[in-house]
């Protein structure tokens, strides 16, 4: 199916090309929402966000204020002159949001991973002309993400966007949710017209990395950001560690640089081309080396078969991992990249050995 979303400028919430969303993780009280919304007034925010129903990982955590928060959210947005958005996870919530005049919706990461839940919400969105943003599913599966977007699009929703909020992975990462930038970049490649928004708050999980992640997103052609902003972050009932004050939000957004995609300067263009040629050379050298490595793996595989040895040799694998990480780090290669690369190479070497056994 072809997704053919309209550009952000047609969302009728006053954004022209860029979409900036800010607001608390959860709606907590009328006062909290009003203070936060007014703090964000005239700071380039197109949508004021707040979660009304919170899908929490563990029971017993703050699960949202529920329906009464919808009128508080709308009033706070009206007071600040900003359109409002909230998360929808069930069809009934769509109807309630429409009743209270909520201007845009997003589908959360735990919901977008479930095709049945998305299909039910999509049904409730049939014929509704409200923008819908779909967060990536918690697991790194681009087709599941695109599938959720398609289910919504099938119901006639054409004000659509994707939100990248990072992925749960088993690797320890600097961040709460691993950004795996290659996935949103691939989404952009497959559906270039789909607006792509980054959620640095849920990727980061703390306040420290918001600027870095936001700038990376802009440099990767994202169309906007959704950031958690609270008038009193320390007291927030959910995600307290990653929320920032409206003043901090302003500081961060002022530091962000929206760069050009095309190069007009011919000298710069030449320099870039030279460097890209160098990269091409290095890439082919790496591929030749991988080919040699797999040749050796093949020889090892036949020896192991002959001597009835297991493909996995734990001691050897630990030695490889430790020595390569130590060597790579000395040469300035980041640890996270090295570990993932080595694990991938090792996994495929094992599979390669098994395939050779089967032949
Ligand atoms: C949120 O935006 O507050 C939220 C719950 O996000 P996610 O679905 O990305 O975890
Ligand atoms: Mn949150």
């Amino acid at each position: 199916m072809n997704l053919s979303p309209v550009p952000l400028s047609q969302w009728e919430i006053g954004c022209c090309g860029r979409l900036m969303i800010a607001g608390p993780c959860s709606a907590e009280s009328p006062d909290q929402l009003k203070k936060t919304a007014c703090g964000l007034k005239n700071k380039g925010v197109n949508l004021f966000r707040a979660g009304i129903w919170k899908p929490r990982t563990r029971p017993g955590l703050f699960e949202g204020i529920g329906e009464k928060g919808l009128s508080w959210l709308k009033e706070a947005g009206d007071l600040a002159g900003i359109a409002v958005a909230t998360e929808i996870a069930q069809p009934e919530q769509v109807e309630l949001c429409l009743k209270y005049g909520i201007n845009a919706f997003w589908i959360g990461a735990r919901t977008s991973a479930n095709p049945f839940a998305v299909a039910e919400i999509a049904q409730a969105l049939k014929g509704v002309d409200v923008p819908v943003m779909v967060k990536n599913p918690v697991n790194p599966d681009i087709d599941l993400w695109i599938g959720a977007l398609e289910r919504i699009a099938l119901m006639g929703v054409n004000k659509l966007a994707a939100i990248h909020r990072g992925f749960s992975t088993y690797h320890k990462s600097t961040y709460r949710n691993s950004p795996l930038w290659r996935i949103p970049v691939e989404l952009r490649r497959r559906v270039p017209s789909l607006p792509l928004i980054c959620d640095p708050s849920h990727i980061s999980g703390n306040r420290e990395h918001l600027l870095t992640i936001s700038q990376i997103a802009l440099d990767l052609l994202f169309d906007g950001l959704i950031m958690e902003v609270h008038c009193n972050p320390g007291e927030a009932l959910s995600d307290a560690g990653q929320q920032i004050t409206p003043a901090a939000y302003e500081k961060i957004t002022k530091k962000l640089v929206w760069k050009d995609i095309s190069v007009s300067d011919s000298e710069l263009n030449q320099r870039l081309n030279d460097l890209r040629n160098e990269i091409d050379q290095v890439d082919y050298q790496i591929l030749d080396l991988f080919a040699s490595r797999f040749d050796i793996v093949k020889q090892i595989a036949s020896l192991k078969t002959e001597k009835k040895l297991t493909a996995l040799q734990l001691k050897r694998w630990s030695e490889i991992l430790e020595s390569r990480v130590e060597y790579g780090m000395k040469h300035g290669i980041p640890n996270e990249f090295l570990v993932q690369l080595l694990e991938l190479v090792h996994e495929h070497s094992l599979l390669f050995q098994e395939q050779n056994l089967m032949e």
Side-chain angles (χ1 to χ4, degrees), residues 123-178:
Q123 199 60 43
L125 287 166
K126 197 169 183 172
V128 172
D129 186 28
V130 169
V132 180
M133 300 168 279
V134 180
K135 288 198 170 196
N136 63 265
V138 277
N139 49 325
D141 182 340
I142 191 172
D143 289 311
L144 197 56
W145 194 3
I146 293 178
L149 287 152
E150 285 173 336
R151 284 195 164 84
I152 309 291
L154 275 172
M155 294 298 132
V157 176
N158 59 7
K159 292 173 182 157
L160 265 183
I163 299 178
H164 170 46
R165 50 78 78 197
F167 302 90
S168 296
T169 51
Y170 80 97
H171 278 288
K172 261 194 264 127
S173 151
T174 324
Y175 304 129
R176 174 179 173 190
N177 289 296
S178 192

Side-chain angles (χ1 to χ4, degrees), residues 203-245:
I203 291 178
S204 175
N206 61 41
R207 291 181 258 279
E208 246 171 84
H209 303 293
L210 295 174
L211 176 62
T212 314
I213 296 168
S214 302
Q215 187 62 57
I216 294 175
L218 301 193
D219 290 350
L220 295 179
L221 307 178
F222 277 65
D223 303 284
L225 301 169
I226 174 167
M227 230 183 278
E228 287 192 339
V229 179
H230 191 292
C231 56
N232 190 358
E235 300 292 308
L237 298 181
S238 59
D239 289 348
Q242 69 195 30
Q243 304 205 55
I244 51 172
T245 60

Side-chain angles (χ1 to χ4, degrees), residues 61-79:
L61 301 172
F62 177 62
E63 288 181 338
I65 206 77
E67 181 177 347
K68 62 176 182 271
L70 289 170
S71 57
W72 305 346
L73 174 60
K74 188 68 186 160
E75 277 163 29
D78 285 349
L79 197 65

